């Protein structure tokens, strides 16, 4: 949709580029569309509950928690217990 509002004379003018009398509206239209669509998409495909901080999500619902353990390295070996040393 942002490309349709581009107005750069001599380079590219989108299908709706002349709608504002020569003003390039591509960035405001793109940002406005993202600001509206992102919360709507979050309602359809919610982030898991453990993706939010301790206060939980604001303004959007959360999906079920995944409870996936976080490790600092991919494929890292488990630390050896102190009793085995």
């Amino acid at each position: 949709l942002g490309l349709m509002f581009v107005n750069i004379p001599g380079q590219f003018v989108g299908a709706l580029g002349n709608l504002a009398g020569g003003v390039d509206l591509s960035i405001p239209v793109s940002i406005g569309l993202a600001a509206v669509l992102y919360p709507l998409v979050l309602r359809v495909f919610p982030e898991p509950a453990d993706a939010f901080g301790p206060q939980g999500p604001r303004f959007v619902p959360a999906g079920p928690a995944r409870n996936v353990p976080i490790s600092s390295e991919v494929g890292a070996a488990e630390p050896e217990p102190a009793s085995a040393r």
Side-chain angles (χ1 to χ4, degrees), residues 12-84:
F12 184 75
V13 177
L16 301 172
N18 290 323
L19 195 64
V23 176
D24 183 8
L25 294 177
S26 60
I27 299 293
V29 166
S30 298
I31 291 172
L33 182 64
V36 169
L37 285 182
Y38 186 70
L40 294 176
V41 170
L42 277 179
R43 290 207 178 271
V44 176
F45 304 104
E47 294 285 340
D50 52 1
F52 298 98
Q55 295 179 347
R58 287 179 272 176
F59 311 117
V60 294
R66 291 184 288 180
N67 295 326
V68 177
I70 299 172
S71 67
S72 60
E73 296 180 23
V74 175
E78 291 291 321
E80 188 175 316
S83 61

Side-chain angles (χ1 to χ4, degrees), residues 4 11 40:
M4 293 180 69
Q11 291 183 1
L40 294 176

